[in-house]
Amino acid sequence: MAAFNYRQLVCLVPARTWQFYFEARKIDLPVDHDWAMPFEPLVKGLIVALEELEADLARTTYAELRRVHTLANRRGMFALRNAARPDAALHEDFSRLTSDAERALWTMLQWPELFDTAEAFLSVDLQIGVRGWKRLKISPCDQIFRGPEDINALRLALASAFTPRKGTLRACEIETLDRHLDGGVQFGILIEDNPQRKAEFGDDDRVRWRDIRPPESMDVVIYPANGVIDILAPGG
């Protein structure tokens, strides 16, 4: 994946979508700014506007643009389409947009929750085949039982498996996501890890210590049609 360069990203998205973004995020532009101006001076003006943002808004904006950049490629497009239902408006909109960068930015603006889901898909897809990944094969099945009772039973089983002997039952949360293109069901699992002490600066610029219960993250993707199960967990 290419290194993030917000100036290059600005060049990849046409004026119509940048106008939508700047207005949605309430980013001020000079009073004489004209969205109909030729693209080259328009790009220069947008770059200047981004570079002159006040610190808090700049951090938020650059973080969003970095997320757009991460999905602005072939694998990111697959993740976005995988997150959308087959009849979703996204598929029709994508055919009218001019670049993967514009498609990613458009999705962030129009369907932020779908964008979040696509990020979760891409994160898993990039890890499949590398360290910490294992693939299992079982018999294909027609249905995955994922109702509240089923998920709660899985949550308790995982929490018990990760709880030290004579320890308090670990906290566990499970989120399920439908992968509409490849037919998988992705389970995002967070399990309470060992407690830690964390140092941080307070409002008085002095260090404070705080006890935290960090989560350990893992993902499981089940493809019921072919019986494949991909498991991604720290340490394999």
Side-chain angles (χ1 to χ4, degrees):
M1 183 181 296
F4 172 61
N5 184 325
Y6 67 90
R7 296 186 178 191
Q8 292 180 358
L9 184 64
V10 171
C11 296
L12 293 173
V13 178
R16 61 190 178 190
T17 304
W18 279 129
Q19 182 177 3
F20 190 13
Y21 178 79
F22 275 65
E23 291 176 352
R25 298 299 185 261
K26 296 180 172 56
I27 299 175
D28 293 330
L29 292 167
V31 293
D32 60 347
H33 178 83
D34 182 5
W35 286 104
M37 73 175 72
F39 192 63
E40 185 174 340
L42 175 69
V43 165
K44 291 180 180 178
L46 296 181
I47 290 174
V48 170
L50 291 172
E51 291 176 343
E52 293 180 348
L53 293 175
E54 60 90 18
D56 289 341
L57 182 56
R59 280 192 292 270
T60 301
T61 302
Y62 292 156
E64 283 195 333
L65 297 184
R66 185 179 293 275
R67 294 173 66 198
V68 170
H69 166 79
T70 300
L71 288 178
N73 51 64
R74 182 180 62 83
R75 298 187 76 164
M77 292 302 102
F78 181 80
L80 288 168
R81 291 183 180 276
N82 216 354
R85 294 182 179 276
D87 59 351
L90 172 141
H91 303 294
E92 183 177 351
D93 284 358
F94 273 19
S95 66
R96 296 195 295 263
L97 303 177
T98 59
S99 69
D100 289 344
E102 185 183 15
R103 295 179 184 103
L105 182 60
W106 181 254
T107 306
M108 173 181 279
L109 290 165
Q110 293 280 43
W111 304 286
E113 292 184 359
L114 190 151
F115 189 94
D116 293 345
T117 299
E119 287 182 311
F121 288 171
L122 180 62
S123 175
V124 165
D125 294 344
L126 291 175
Q127 295 178 70
I128 289 177
V130 300
R131 187 174 181 179
W133 166 79
K134 183 175 183 179
R135 172 163 286 181
L136 305 178
K137 186 71 169 66
I138 62 172
S139 299
C141 61
D142 296 327
Q143 182 180 3
I144 294 178
F145 296 96
R146 47 187 289 198
E149 293 183 358
D150 306 305
I151 296 299
N152 190 51
L154 176 60
R155 183 185 64 80
L156 290 175
L158 287 171
S160 299
F162 279 80
T163 298
R165 185 178 299 178
K166 298 182 180 179
T168 303
L169 188 67
R170 294 272 169 105
C172 178
E173 291 186 5
I174 301 175
E175 179 184 26
T176 63
L177 302 169
D178 289 300
R179 302 171 59 103
H180 295 287
L181 285 187
D182 58 31
V185 178
Q186 183 168 312
F187 294 78
I189 302 168
L190 294 175
I191 299 179
E192 179 186 353
D193 203 348
N194 295 325
Q196 299 176 13
R197 298 209 78 197
K198 180 180 179 181
E200 59 185 12
F201 280 100
D203 294 337
D204 58 357
D205 293 337
R206 295 180 65 84
V207 172
R208 299 285 186 270
W209 289 91
R210 183 164 59 93
D211 293 328
I212 63 172
R213 298 159 60 199
E216 182 173 293
S217 175
M218 62 186 68
D219 293 276
V220 176
V221 186
I222 302 175
Y223 302 93
N226 57 19
V228 168
I229 302 176
D230 286 327
I231 303 172
L232 297 97

